[in-house]
Amino acid sequence: MSSISEKVRIALFAKLNVSGVTTLATGGIHNEVAPESANLPFVIFHRIAPGTVLYSLAGTNHGEDDLWMIKSLADEDSSTTLEPQALNASILAACETAIGYELTLTGATTRGVRRTADIPSYTDNLSDRHIYHAGFYLRIFTE
């Protein structure tokens, strides 16, 4: 991971780890993978595709265009009032609101934060329950 992408990861965690999100995603916010001890529902985020890195002729990094995934996971026991799919939708809406259109980075500038596509919902069937996944892709350009 580049130094700019690491700054973006830190900024995304700070944006997502707020009460508007964690009130719904009670299992927390996790980068790449949740620990085994994490309870559902929770959010996982990570950079899934290192995008284009723009360099000048002198070899100076002028920016990065990366694709990040924001995903919510829930099961039938995650809420007493919402179905898992509806809970995931609420969590993702809270994530999108929390992220907004800009990130504050130290030593870099965000030039664009845009939701680019949804991740189709799918279900993992475990022996004793179903885990429902939903998410979206976020394109972030920094320099």
Side-chain angles (χ1 to χ4, degrees):
M1 184 176 293
S2 74
S3 62
I4 291 178
S5 294
E6 178 61 15
K7 291 173 186 179
V8 171
R9 184 194 67 76
I10 292 166
L12 274 176
F13 180 79
K15 286 271 195 160
L16 292 170
N17 196 28
V18 296
S19 64
V21 177
T22 58
T23 298
L24 296 168
T26 55
I29 311 301
H30 307 283
N31 180 238
E32 293 189 26
V33 67
E36 282 190 38
S37 61
N39 294 319
L40 291 167
F42 57 77
V43 171
I44 293 177
F45 75 100
H46 66 93
R47 184 174 80 151
I48 60 167
T52 306
V53 179
L54 305 174
Y55 292 100
S56 70
L57 292 176
T60 305
N61 185 343
H62 280 282
E64 291 185 13
D65 187 10
D66 291 328
L67 190 62
W68 291 77
M69 179 190 71
I70 313 293
K71 185 165 78 167
S72 174
L73 290 85
D75 67 2
E76 294 93 347
D77 298 329
S78 294
S79 173
T80 57
T81 58
L82 294 172
E83 293 293 321
Q85 301 90 332
L87 179 58
N88 279 339
S90 296
I91 290 170
L92 293 173
C95 289
E96 190 171 8
T97 299
I99 293 168
Y101 300 103
E102 63 183 326
L103 297 173
T104 302
L105 306 176
T106 303
T109 303
T110 304
R111 294 292 181 207
V113 177
R114 183 172 59 101
R115 182 175 175 160
T116 60
D118 290 333
I119 299 169
S121 303
Y122 65 94
T123 306
D124 278 338
N125 297 316
L126 300 180
S127 60
D128 62 338
R129 62 188 172 152
H130 301 293
I131 308 297
Y132 296 84
H133 302 248
F136 61 87
Y137 295 120
L138 192 67
R139 183 165 297 285
I140 301 175
F141 181 74
T142 54
E143 60 179 28

